[in-house]
Amino acid sequence: MADHPLISMRGIVKKYPGVTALNGVTLSVEPGEVMALVGENGAGKSTLLKILAGAERPDSGVIEIDGVAVESHSPRESQSRGIAVIYQELNLANDLSVAENIYVGREPKTRFGTVDFGAMERGARDLLQSLGISVSPTTLVGDLNIALRQMVEIAKALLIDARVVVMDEPTSSLTEEEVETLFLLVRKLRAAGVSVIYVSHRMREIFAIADRVTVMRDGAVVGVRDAAGLTPGDVVQMMVGRDLVDLYGQRTTPVDGTAVPALEVRDLSCGAMLHDVSFSVLPGEIVALSGLIGAGRSHAALAIFGARKRRSGQILVNGKPVDFNGPQDAMAAGLGFVPEDRKQQGLFLELSVRENMTSASLAKLSRLTVMSGRKDRALARDYATRLGLRQSAVEVAVGTLSGGNQQKVVLARWLARKPRILILDEPTRGVDVGAKAEIYQLIRTIADEGVAVLIISSELTEVLGMADRIVVMREGYGVGEVVARGATETQVMALATGVKEEAE
Amino acid sequence: MTIQANSATASSSQPGEQPSGPPRTPGSRFKTGLLSVVSARESTLAGVVVLLVIVLSLLSPYFFTQGNLTVVGRQIGLALMISVGMTFVILIGGIDLSVGSIVALVSVLTGELMVTAGLPPALAVIIALVGGAAVGAVNGIVHAFVGIPSFVVTLGMLAVARGLALGITSGSTISGFPASFLYLGQGSLLGIPIPVWIAAVIALAAHFVLSRTTFGRHVYFVGSNEDAAMLSGIHTRRIKVLVFVISATLASASGILETARLSVGQPAAGNGYELAAIGAAVIGGVSLSGGVGRILGTVLGTTLLLLIQNALILLGISAYWQQVFSGVIIVGAVALNMWRKKRSR
């Protein structure tokens, strides 16, 4: 190893209102190594990367690149020091060509000061060839698939002489084959002395590509290991770092296996994302829909809730076929739905906690459409108390709360309707650990009260910890069902990816 | 290689959630109650209006005359009806550019029905109102069900309604209204012009609807986050159509009263009213991105805009320059609003 690492981040602290995102994080990357950065959602990976990229300023801590401290914490400085970050949402202009995208901001000029398109295309072609990417520089980026767009983004990074390429979950929307191509490229980068920080929680990829693994949990680094000699089990252990049973709680009321399913879905198809999916949820049962991002789970939830037109198939509530024309019909039948994206689909950010909580119960709180202010306030206070929110928070704009409390507000909206069937799409995304445990406890309680719960989650540990049964989806199809007790991550992952993963 | 030591140990617990909201002291409930009636922004605006009234009465001996106050009051009343409708539209995150043209169309329609066709005034007024409402329904349906942004839909309607008004009359004006109708625009009750009474009732009703009814809540929900509103079981398209009907109906009411005030149905009426209405709402703190704003703010915004217009007249400044002032004030108010919002973060 060199005397000093290429990147050294030490004692990085970053606090947001209500949450400590990073609590003294230390990360070091050697020249020409692939460092995997792993951790659960909310562990602080994204925040750390944003700080490295200069998009966020740390509250305290030191960042050194090549032994020289970073001063301004601006994206410009990070870039000029050779750090290129490839975000999940790629920063490409779809209406421009590959060459134009690669050279954006540093276009070669002719002697008249106009853009030298010839030189740009030749340069782009050489660069793409050297990386083994078979894309014509004149193609519009919008015409490329996601994998190739990612390659273009990497080529762009190399043009600015990046010494560290950061990839944030680069494979989340790639096929197996595309992943292999990406790996080839990563190895080429490594061979050329470029370091790669690779963020992922897919064990197989991490062990295929990483030299070292840094594990984060709850805003801190809990371990740095050489990949050689490490097992996926070790990594998961570090990532989770606690007794699963403690966090998720235990079922107290057994599910009546002979009961009529509260919700049954038969051969449900919807758009191009959902094909012939079948499953059922018993009263008091917690069923998880598992699978990779893009497997069609959220589409299934929206279709069940009446927010998407279904193409074919049947939905039965308490054994009776139903035909929902919209969410209001589903709600009338006793369904509740906590959507995946809290800010885009769940909350009225400018409005108060009270207005958010009671938004699905207005009929109950009004007579002849005139609201009862007293009932409105009483309901909001009641649920604020039950969910451990402060009374004083009831009239505050919901957008000012932390992620965990925002999620509680959305949950309260549905609990206030006393649903018989509750669909929760990623209920703990972007929620800190404390609030997570409370939300799990809440889900347990309502299931024990006989509510049928359908959870969609990308966190396998959560799925295994919470669910009674797991329905696995892949590419819009239901591919299997697993009883959660005794099931392993590997088992579920094998179904979700369609690849038999070897348990190491 | 050897396994490296952990570079940091895990913190076992996250710090607890910080309390949000103002600290509570005894008696603060009463204060928060008062504050919720008049927010800081609205009280500032009210202060500006009062200040303007004081300055005006010092600068011009004519300001506090019965004649001037009646004129200003009527103008505020007529403009306020349109601004209130515009407030609903802006609250759902939309915009209605067609209100000025609707004023013209309804003015012409009232003339044709009452003068040319000789219908009884009450019936003519009702038909004209329904006609105006229908224009709003078209706006709303095209916007909500075809999915065209309201800016584009109502920009089209701005041209269509104005064109209809001009086409129906071949560009000429209609006069010869019965006196009972003219009273609506020119008469007074208890010394206060009729349009002021009507506008006051409309503003109070609108305030009640927005703050106390489920429909009002739905308006805020749709404006704040349409997807979330849909997923909360709200018929978002129905709300949108209704809001555009409200806006067009209130513009029609204003158009009818203006026709009565001027004793003439004219296809050139209402020119530029959309800008005044948008400006009044925005000055009053209604957010163009939807979901934020109250009728009280719109009332103050409308009053402020028209008082300034009156001031310019009283101070003898040419009418040509008045638009310049209005434009600057509208943009200035929005800039001030954004600056305050930023600072409060």
Side-chain angles (χ1 to χ4, degrees):
Chain A
M1 281 182 192
D3 336 339
H4 52 73
L6 183 53
I7 290 183
S8 169
M9 301 175 84
R10 291 194 303 270
I12 306 289
V13 174
K14 178 76 189 174
K15 289 180 176 151
Y16 294 109
V19 183
T20 303
L22 295 176
N23 193 4
V25 168
T26 295
L27 175 78
S28 76
V29 180
E30 303 293 331
E33 84 167 338
V34 178
M35 170 66 88
L37 183 60
V38 299
E40 288 192 286
N41 294 339
K45 295 169 295 183
S46 306
T47 311
L48 187 66
L49 295 186
K50 276 186 199 150
I51 287 172
L52 182 61
E56 292 268 4
R57 172 178 283 274
D59 295 335
S60 63
V62 182
I63 304 172
E64 285 176 8
I65 299 171
D66 253 345
V68 182
V70 167
E71 282 156 13
S72 70
H73 296 291
S74 67
R76 181 173 292 273
E77 185 183 7
S78 287
Q79 267 183 30
S80 68
R81 301 284 294 269
I83 293 171
V85 181
I86 297 166
Y87 293 102
Q88 271 172 283
E89 315 84 34
L90 303 173
N91 286 316
L92 295 173
N94 289 343
D95 299 323
L96 297 183
S97 74
V98 169
E100 284 169 312
N101 267 289
I102 291 177
Y103 277 93
V104 70
R106 44 186 64 75
E107 294 86 353
K109 296 280 166 59
T110 65
R111 57 204 167 90
F112 303 112
T114 58
V115 175
D116 188 346
F117 285 97
M120 199 158 89
E121 270 164 38
R122 281 191 300 279
R125 180 165 291 127
D126 291 348
L127 182 63
L128 292 167
Q129 254 166 19
S130 71
L131 295 170
I133 306 170
S134 51
V135 171
S136 156
T138 54
T139 318
L140 290 187
V141 162
D143 294 337
L144 302 177
N145 65 26
I146 301 288
L148 287 172
R149 285 184 207 184
Q150 225 158 29
M151 308 281 171
V152 171
E153 187 85 81
I154 294 170
K156 187 170 138 190
L158 293 180
L159 192 77
I160 63 166
D161 292 322
R163 307 181 52 205
V164 182
V165 177
V166 182
M167 299 185 192
D168 191 3
E169 308 230 10
T171 58
S172 55
S173 45
L174 299 191
T175 65
E176 282 299 311
E177 229 168 289
E178 291 166 344
V179 170
E180 282 310 315
T181 320
L182 180 73
F183 282 2
L184 274 177
L185 193 53
V186 170
R187 292 193 184 101
K188 266 192 189 144
L189 293 177
R190 174 166 57 188
V194 177
S195 304
V196 175
I197 299 178
Y198 190 95
V199 179
S200 179
H201 40 228
R202 297 191 189 176
M203 291 300 146
R204 207 163 48 88
E205 289 172 10
I206 292 163
F207 285 95
I209 198 79
D211 300 311
R212 287 197 297 157
V213 181
T214 296
V215 184
M216 288 185 70
R217 188 212 314 154
D218 303 348
V221 169
V222 292
V224 182
R225 302 274 193 279
D226 287 329
L230 197 63
T231 70
D234 299 339
V235 177
V236 171
Q237 183 65 40
M238 283 193 281
M239 269 167 65
V240 181
R242 69 187 77 86
D243 201 354
L244 288 184
V245 177
D246 278 345
L247 183 56
Y248 299 108
Q250 278 297 322
R251 172 162 288 288
T252 52
T253 321
V255 176
D256 176 9
T258 61
V260 178
L263 175 71
E264 189 174 356
V265 173
R266 288 185 192 154
D267 301 323
L268 183 66
S269 297
C270 166
M273 289 302 294
L274 199 64
H275 312 282
D276 303 328
V277 173
S278 300
F279 60 85
S280 65
V281 190
L282 297 168
E285 191 181 32
I286 302 176
V287 172
L289 269 186
S290 184
L292 302 179
I293 290 162
R297 300 164 304 165
S298 297
H299 276 75
L302 288 167
I304 293 169
F305 197 59
R308 292 269 184 287
K309 280 262 171 285
R310 62 178 197 268
R311 193 148 39 83
S312 61
Q314 242 188 339
I315 297 167
L316 295 91
V317 171
N318 298 324
K320 292 190 197 73
V322 289
D323 188 13
F324 300 145
N325 268 323
Q328 52 285 346
D329 291 350
M331 284 159 62
L335 271 78
F337 176 48
V338 174
E340 174 183 17
D341 190 329
R342 199 157 52 229
K343 290 198 167 132
Q344 295 294 325
Q345 305 170 301
L347 293 170
F348 307 108
L349 289 172
E350 309 86 346
L351 303 186
S352 68
V353 168
R354 169 177 54 80
E355 286 162 308
N356 273 278
M357 277 185 172
T358 61
S359 66
S361 307
L362 296 189
K364 197 169 76 179
L365 305 172
S366 61
R367 270 182 67 190
L368 300 170
T369 87
V370 176
M371 296 281 304
S372 158
R374 190 181 48 77
K375 285 187 191 169
D376 193 40
R377 284 189 296 275
L379 186 75
R381 287 211 197 100
D382 180 17
Y383 276 90
T385 313
R386 286 197 210 184
L387 298 184
L389 287 169
R390 280 162 204 274
Q391 291 290 318
S392 60
V394 169
E395 292 302 327
V396 163
V398 78
T400 62
L401 301 185
S402 71
N405 283 344
Q406 289 184 356
Q407 191 68 9
K408 285 186 196 168
V409 172
V410 184
L411 275 165
R413 172 188 303 165
W414 294 106
L415 295 181
R417 288 185 56 86
K418 309 226 180 313
R420 301 312 301 157
I421 302 161
L422 190 57
I423 305 172
L424 305 163
D425 196 349
E426 304 284 2
T428 62
R429 178 175 285 177
V431 166
D432 61 58
V433 180
K436 253 185 190 179
E438 289 178 58
I439 289 172
Y440 293 141
Q441 182 54 47
L442 204 67
I443 296 173
R444 278 262 177 262
T445 310
I446 57 170
D448 284 339
E449 286 166 5
V451 176
V453 180
L454 181 66
I455 296 185
I456 296 169
S457 173
S458 296
E459 285 183 49
L460 275 179
T461 45
E462 178 173 298
V463 166
L464 290 166
M466 286 299 294
D468 300 311
R469 267 185 310 133
I470 302 166
V471 176
V472 185
M473 288 182 62
R474 187 200 325 143
E475 288 163 18
Y477 293 91
V479 290
E481 216 176 283
V482 183
V483 175
R485 183 180 290 269
T488 65
E489 279 196 33
T490 330
Q491 228 178 325
V492 178
M493 212 27 145
L495 278 170
T497 56
V499 180
K500 276 278 164 211
E501 259 191 310
E502 265 134 64
E504 284 178 52
Chain B
M1 278 195 185
T2 54
I3 290 175
Q4 294 195 340
N6 289 3
S7 41
T9 47
S11 68
S12 54
S13 68
Q14 290 286 101
E17 182 62 25
Q18 299 301 310
S20 36
R24 287 254 164 176
T25 52
S28 74
R29 170 167 304 206
F30 177 66
K31 276 186 201 157
T32 23
L34 266 185
L35 274 180
S36 68
V37 175
V38 181
S39 75
R41 183 191 161 69
E42 280 152 359
S43 45
T44 314
L45 200 54
V48 172
V49 169
V50 171
L51 198 70
L52 193 62
V53 168
I54 293 170
V55 170
L56 274 177
S57 52
L58 291 178
L59 282 182
S60 166
Y62 299 107
F63 180 73
F64 258 120
T65 60
Q66 168 84 22
N68 185 54
L69 288 183
T70 306
V71 168
V72 176
R74 238 189 237 121
Q75 282 171 345
I76 292 176
L78 291 175
L80 182 59
M81 294 179 208
I82 307 179
S83 308
V84 165
M86 189 65 77
T87 303
F88 277 84
V89 176
I90 298 178
L91 278 177
I92 64 163
I95 200 104
D96 188 348
L97 300 178
S98 65
V99 287
S101 296
I102 291 174
V103 165
L105 180 59
V106 169
S107 174
V108 164
L109 209 56
T110 312
E112 290 290 341
L113 292 167
M114 214 177 292
V115 179
T116 315
L119 290 181
L123 184 61
V125 164
I126 288 170
I127 297 176
L129 275 177
V130 171
V135 173
V138 172
N139 278 339
I141 289 168
V142 173
H143 166 54
F145 288 86
V146 185
I148 301 173
S150 58
F151 181 88
V152 178
V153 174
T154 59
L155 185 63
M157 190 55 85
L158 175 144
V160 170
R162 176 75 62 190
L164 281 175
L166 288 164
I168 290 170
T169 57
S170 307
S172 58
T173 57
I174 305 165
S175 48
F177 288 95
S180 60
F181 173 68
L182 298 182
Y183 177 74
L184 273 184
Q186 299 171 5
S188 291
L189 187 68
L190 304 175
I192 293 171
I194 301 285
V196 175
W197 285 109
I198 297 180
V201 169
I202 287 174
L204 283 173
H207 175 76
F208 179 80
V209 165
L210 282 178
S211 60
R212 293 293 307 278
T213 68
T214 54
F215 172 74
R217 281 286 170 89
H218 290 175
V219 167
Y220 283 99
F221 291 154
V222 170
S224 174
N225 187 339
E226 196 180 334
D227 281 343
M230 188 268 289
L231 289 174
S232 296
I234 292 162
H235 294 97
T236 54
R237 289 190 284 207
R238 199 180 291 172
I239 302 293
K240 284 183 182 177
V241 174
L242 277 171
V243 160
F244 277 92
V245 169
I246 289 173
S247 170
T249 308
L250 293 181
S252 305
S254 180
I256 291 167
L257 292 177
E258 185 171 298
T259 307
R261 178 174 72 112
L262 301 173
S263 319
V264 60
Q266 49 177 344
N271 204 2
Y273 283 13
E274 59 281 346
L275 289 184
I278 295 166
V282 167
I283 290 173
V286 184
S287 161
L288 282 172
S289 49
V292 177
R294 304 194 306 163
I295 293 295
L296 181 56
T298 301
V299 172
L300 292 168
T302 308
T303 309
L304 183 66
L305 264 187
L306 285 165
L307 278 180
I308 288 169
Q309 251 178 45
N310 186 238
L312 296 173
I313 294 167
L314 290 178
L315 299 177
I317 293 168
S318 148
Y320 297 124
W321 289 97
Q322 290 173 21
Q323 292 193 36
V324 176
F325 279 90
S326 300
V328 169
I329 287 159
I330 291 169
V331 174
V334 175
L336 187 71
N337 199 13
M338 290 174 71
W339 175 72
R340 290 172 66 137
K341 211 169 166 185
K342 219 177 216 166
R343 214 183 46 162
S344 72
R345 262 192 205 134

